[in-house]
Amino acid sequence: QKEVEQDPGPLSVPEGAIVSLNCTYSNSAFQYFMWYRQYSRKGPELLMYTYSSGNKEDGRFTAQVDKSSKYISLFIRDSQPSDSATYLCAMLDTGNQFYFGTGTSLTVIP
Amino acid sequence: ETGVTQTPRHLVMGMTNKKSLKCEQHLGHNAMYWYKQSAKKPLELMFVYSLEERVENNSVPSRFSPECPNSSHLFLHLHTLQPEDSALYLCASSQARAGMGLETQYFGPGTRLLVL
């Protein structure tokens, strides 16, 4: 079983839609949860990170962590064509080891 | 720009060649990483240098050799690679804080490597 599971997609939505991206994990030791956005031909850039269960909002983006279900989500409201990218979830355990999902490819159609 | 630069951006090499990838960070961080990104696979951590200590993943073949001469520079030396080593190689940096673990990482643009 992989430490982090993420549906690779591809996911295609119309402009203005609400996008939900998800990852599940199996390791209870994960304590930091991150979302990265990676545009084509670029390295991943940090979008949001959170330490605890609950929601964290930043503009059109909301990160949600449910430690009891070992499930994290990234919601994008009012999606724009510029949001088209691959979104990677990442987690850090208590031993300072990073684990990444495979990434979900998102296309927002104008 | 994230403050992490990588050169070259693209590299084509034969299986008998020796080449090096270079990474430089301008963020004042004290931890640097090499990752391999292949299609449909999670990022694979290859090497970490944190607080001048090297953390090695035992599954990385010896044909990959890292070098970290100082906290701002990181190299990945390549020799006798295989076609399956073709991938995007990403460098990242972060600030390691005592008692808090490794903080979030900032990635460079990557080097797209093709081994023929």
Side-chain angles (χ1 to χ4, degrees):
Chain A
Q1 183 185 11
K2 293 180 183 176
E3 296 276 2
V4 180
E5 297 276 359
Q6 183 176 10
D7 186 342
L11 183 62
S12 185
V13 301
E15 184 175 354
I18 296 175
V19 176
S20 173
L21 304 166
N22 311 295
C23 288
T24 58
Y25 62 95
S26 56
N27 190 341
S28 300
F30 289 150
Q31 54 177 357
Y32 283 93
F33 304 89
M34 291 148 278
W35 285 97
Y36 286 84
R37 178 175 62 197
Q38 184 174 20
Y39 290 115
S40 179
R41 305 183 193 281
K42 296 280 183 70
E45 58 175 322
L46 180 67
L47 206 55
M48 298 182 71
Y49 84 95
T50 183
Y51 176 72
S52 59
S53 284
N55 293 352
K56 182 176 182 180
E57 193 172 317
D58 183 1
R60 296 184 293 109
F61 298 88
T62 299
Q64 187 176 78
V65 175
D66 183 346
K67 285 189 174 181
S68 61
S69 301
K70 297 189 176 66
Y71 189 88
I72 68 169
S73 298
L74 178 71
F75 297 99
I76 307 174
R77 290 186 301 280
D78 187 25
S79 56
Q80 303 294 310
S82 59
D83 296 327
S84 299
T86 296
Y87 291 80
L88 297 143
C89 64
M91 305 178 191
L92 182 67
D93 68 12
T94 52
N96 300 331
Q97 183 76 25
F98 275 93
Y99 296 85
F100 286 85
T102 54
T104 299
S105 174
L106 171 68
T107 300
V108 180
I109 303 168
Chain B
E1 296 300 325
T2 63
V4 181
T5 58
Q6 288 186 246
T7 55
R9 294 293 308 274
H10 301 273
L11 179 62
V12 180
M13 59 188 290
M15 289 190 284
T16 58
N17 292 157
K18 289 185 180 181
K19 297 286 184 183
S20 294
L21 310 184
K22 180 183 176 182
C23 176
E24 184 173 359
Q25 59 96 0
H26 311 276
L27 301 169
H29 289 163
N30 57 14
M32 296 186 76
Y33 312 74
W34 279 117
Y35 285 90
K36 177 183 179 182
Q37 188 176 34
S38 303
K40 307 291 186 188
K41 290 186 179 180
L43 282 173
E44 300 173 49
L45 180 63
M46 300 176 72
F47 300 104
V48 181
Y49 280 84
S50 176
L51 300 172
E52 300 184 6
E53 286 189 15
R54 172 176 160 181
V55 177
E56 189 165 353
N57 183 334
N58 291 332
S59 67
V60 179
S62 59
R63 56 187 183 267
F64 295 93
S65 175
E67 179 189 1
C68 189
N70 54 61
S71 60
S72 299
H73 294 85
L74 185 66
F75 295 89
L76 186 63
H77 303 299
L78 316 172
H79 64 97
T80 60
L81 294 192
Q82 303 299 310
E84 60 263 29
D85 296 322
S86 298
L88 181 68
Y89 288 84
L90 290 159
C91 173
S93 72
S94 70
Q95 184 63 24
R97 302 178 193 175
M100 291 188 63
L102 297 173
E103 284 292 346
T104 52
Q105 299 175 13
Y106 295 83
F107 286 84
T111 295
R112 176 71 62 186
L113 174 67
L114 177 62
V115 181
L116 300 176

